[in-house]
Amino acid sequence: MNEIKLDDKVILTAACGSNEEEIDEADYDLVCDNLYEYNVQATNGLLEKPGKDINLFLKNEAGTVIGGIFCETFNYCLYIDVFWIEEAYRNKGYGKVMMAEAEKLGKELGCVFAHTNTFSYQSPHFYTRMGYEQFGVIDDYPDGIKQFFLKKKL
């Protein structure tokens, strides 16, 4: 872990890499918790509304998970964080059903829009076919990779 003395009272410590031992879990939690509390106050509590996670799992007949969509709700929006389907089950309509169900549950909770991001090597066209519109793109990644930001009114 690197330390940089900024002045007589403040030190910057840097932990880079994947070694979790370098990160003090309590320090990490303190920063995240304080940012969350600030955001709740700054939004007059709107950040916590509806404040429910939506997690859907796609399983085969043996009960094995073959896909999932994990969403958070805040500021009356549905944020699609993780969405994956095992390759053998793609392009069979399951993704459309999962997305529609997540959006329906989000709307029932009071969400007025949904948003997400995806990379060019993932499935940006799936989202546009589901009615999402692109509102931003980062095209500075190497090898022509792009990150798309998408939204949809519910």
Side-chain angles (χ1 to χ4, degrees), residues 81-112:
D81 188 27
V82 174
F83 189 18
W84 169 82
I85 297 176
E86 189 174 303
E87 192 166 347
Y89 294 90
R90 294 178 190 164
N91 298 309
K92 300 182 185 305
Y94 302 127
K96 291 178 185 175
V97 172
M98 293 172 69
M99 180 67 76
E101 182 65 15
E103 290 173 351
K104 178 181 88 89
L105 293 170
K107 195 169 184 175
E108 288 173 1
L109 290 171
C111 295
V112 295

Side-chain angles (χ1 to χ4, degrees), residues 55-68:
N55 299 309
L56 305 174
F57 295 91
L58 188 63
K59 296 181 180 185
N60 65 15
E61 62 215 13
T64 303
V65 173
I66 56 171

Side-chain angles (χ1 to χ4, degrees), residues 4-13:
I4 302 168
K5 188 172 182 178
L6 300 179
D7 59 36
D8 290 338
K9 299 178 184 178
V10 178
I11 297 171
L12 174 66
T13 60

Side-chain angles (χ1 to χ4, degrees), residues 1-129:
M1 185 170 307
N2 297 330
E3 291 189 352
I4 302 168
K5 188 172 182 178
L6 300 179
D7 59 36
D8 290 338
K9 299 178 184 178
V10 178
I11 297 171
L12 174 66
T13 60
C16 297
S18 60
N19 187 353
E20 291 183 20
E21 293 177 10
E22 288 188 29
I23 298 172
D24 184 317
E25 200 71 31
D27 291 348
Y28 182 88
D29 290 344
L30 178 85
V31 171
C32 291
D33 292 347
N34 279 292
L35 175 61
Y36 179 79
E37 288 304 317
Y38 171 83
N39 290 342
V40 169
Q41 289 177 357
T43 62
N44 295 316
L46 186 62
L47 181 74
E48 296 181 308
K49 296 180 180 175
K52 308 253 186 220
D53 292 341
I54 296 172
N55 299 309
L56 305 174
F57 295 91
L58 188 63
K59 296 181 180 185
N60 65 15
E61 62 215 13
T64 303
V65 173
I66 56 171
I69 185 168
F70 307 149
C71 308
E72 299 174 16
T73 64
F74 52 87
N75 290 337
Y76 289 108
C77 83
L78 174 73
Y79 175 65
I80 302 159
D81 188 27
V82 174
F83 189 18
W84 169 82
I85 297 176
E86 189 174 303
E87 192 166 347
Y89 294 90
R90 294 178 190 164
N91 298 309
K92 300 182 185 305
Y94 302 127
K96 291 178 185 175
V97 172
M98 293 172 69
M99 180 67 76
E101 182 65 15
E103 290 173 351
K104 178 181 88 89
L105 293 170
K107 195 169 184 175
E108 288 173 1
L109 290 171
C111 295
V112 295
F113 73 99
H115 69 102
T116 192
N117 70 86
T118 189
F119 288 93
S120 52
Y121 57 84
Q122 293 174 323
S123 193
H125 300 297
F126 169 81
Y127 291 100
T128 55
R129 286 193 308 267

